[in-house]
Amino acid sequence: MKYLFITLCISLFISCQKKDESESKKTPPTPIPTDFIEELWYKNAFLYSVDVEVFKDSDGDGVGDFKGITQQLDYLIQLGVRTIWLAPFQPTPNKDDGYDIADFYGIDSRLGTDQDFDEFIRQTNKKGIRVMMDLVTNHTSDQHPWFKAARQRKDSPYRSWYVWSKEQPKKWDKGMIFPGVQKEVWSYDKQAGEYFYHRFYDFQPDLNMQNPALQREMRKIVRHWLDKGVAGFRVDAVPFLIEIANADFDPEKPQYQFDIITQLHQYIQWHKKDAILLGEANVDPKDQQDYFGKDGQNMQTMFNFFANQYLFYSLATGETKLLKKALEDTKAIPPTAQWATFLRNHDEIDLGRLSDSERDKVYARFGPDSTMQLYDRGIRRRLAPMLGDRKLIDLAYSFLFSMPGMPVIRYGEEIGMGDDLKLKERLSIRTPMQWSNAPNAGFSTAAKTVQPVISQGPYSYTKGVNVADQRADSASLLNQITRLAQLRKQCPEIGWGNWEMLDTGSEQVLAIRYDWQGRSLVVVHNFSSEPQQCQIATKTQTGRPLTDLMNNSETPLGTGGNFAVQLPGYTFRWYRVKK
Ligand code: GLC
């Protein structure tokens, strides 16, 4: 409701602006009134994604825990993080790294107790950190008591909480999310005597979200965690959560029930006015409006998977044309909405929306070996080993912090952690955090850790890929990312303002201008390994020089607000435009 109100105010504001403009024929500015900065905190947040299990082990049993992460909060503060997103931490058989939940209200005993969780939240509150968590209600583990009851008896009230078919559905082997690993989306359950539906692995039966009882249960779950102090939810697998699944439906052409999200949005806001939903929905830009909601009444924020794929294409080829188009294609979102932008997350890089030849170019550069590829669409590597070149890595992070959206970084990426391709599927990029060059990278004192620590090769914790060594080195990736996070804080116009792409005269150089409340910023990135000579039209007529925010040097502007710049390979500039 609150957001609807804010959206209405903003729309009104914008439409008044538009009227003025049509009279004066100026470019339409769409500033957002500052009154809503508190509620719309995610416009300019920096989100850190972490899995408690592999972050820091406090008791020496080899598994990370809530006490461990609580001890490391100052590290996150130093990095500039004020929002954490926790991967699932509830009781689980752990066959999908916790995304197979067996109790939505509990804490996995390996990670700590309810009290440990509460203490963690108390400490984050004290330090001004918001905590978001995964909401994985598309499916449960097959070990969840609801599924156990549902498969046991036809007349169980839980039977209709899942999706069943007496006969094998015609499309039983269509629409798998993990092709190559998963064989079907309908599996026969002997005990139930029927087929059950699962978009993901066969140990993750899909919940039947059309059932109002289950929608009530989902509200109960979010209420439970909001009451415990969380600031919002990363909603897992949104398109599958809201698809209308039944024995006759076509998993390749599903229909969606968006009001499940609208109601969830309203519900969480009644309980906490600035709580948010962050959707995992890899959708085509033509569908993004449905997910954000026309007036912002669905997801406040969603991962920009679309731009992510073209960003990797640009990093691989040096060409920016398709990335520019992807940014333009994902530009039109409600004024209260925001994209969550990222380089790597905890899954494979999904390149499924690129053409075959585009994807092949990314594979050739970043994942040439078949062991690096996954599910016929992606790459299961961490960023540092993939990009290899430190200058390219710096360019990628500078672009991430300066592109439209709120940047999200996965733990370990800030120190350039490597991957372990011996581990299966996406576990390759889920190895323990590397804190120091002590045994087990200072993650744990146990003889055996929950996942192996990377201790061989150039990404070993003994080779400087650890927090302690990098803190002490001003040129380290960790310190570079800390600086970028600070820089982003000095540039609120990125999250709040209007943006437009500027002409650079180079296919390899991408420049964006932001404007907000009289403040303007121009960011320029050279995606090519070669130097580029460009002529950038800033559209500024003040005649005052630009200030380079990295080194405070000044760049004079020529007539018409143009300036020439020679950018060495893989370099970038952040310029403040003076009024
Ligand atoms: C999401 C998660 C992924 C998980 C899947 C099933 O896509 O990001 O890690 O395997 O949902 O829950």
Side-chain angles (χ1 to χ4, degrees), residues 8 10 46 49 65 77 127 147 156 162 194 281 287 307 318 361 373 395 444 452 458 464 484 524 556:
L8 285 174
I10 294 173
F46 166 27
S49 137
D65 45 44
I77 294 275
K127 294 181 191 288
F147 190 67
S156 159
Y162 295 87
E194 292 188 359
D287 301 320
K361 287 186 192 161
Q373 299 166 13
L395 176 90
S444 169
L484 284 168
V524 186

Side-chain angles (χ1 to χ4, degrees), residues 96 99 136 139 178 200-201 204 234 236-237 280 346-347 426 430:
D96 182 17
Y99 281 88
V136 191
H139 47 262
F178 301 130
F200 296 89
Y201 300 107
Q204 287 168 322
R234 178 260 188 197
D236 190 58
E280 186 211 14
H346 63 293
D347 290 325
R426 294 156 293 153
R430 300 176 179 181

Side-chain angles (χ1 to χ4, degrees), residues 8-40:
L8 285 174
C9 292
I10 294 173
S11 308
L12 203 69
F13 191 84
I14 291 169
S15 67
C16 294
Q17 290 273 331
K18 284 205 176 123
K19 196 162 164 246
D20 288 353
E21 283 145 18
S22 60
E23 279 151 16
S24 66
K25 298 223 172 7
K26 278 191 194 142
T27 326
T30 54
I32 293 182
T34 30
D35 322 21
F36 305 120
I37 278 186
E38 276 296 302
E39 283 86 355
L40 307 187

Side-chain angles (χ1 to χ4, degrees), residues 389-413:
D389 182 339
R390 173 61 197 277
K391 286 177 80 185
L392 183 57
I393 296 173
D394 284 357
L395 176 90
Y397 279 110
S398 169
F399 191 73
L400 173 69
F401 277 97
S402 69
M403 71 190 283
M406 93 168 141
V408 185
I409 286 198
R410 170 129 174 102
Y411 83 91
E413 290 294 307

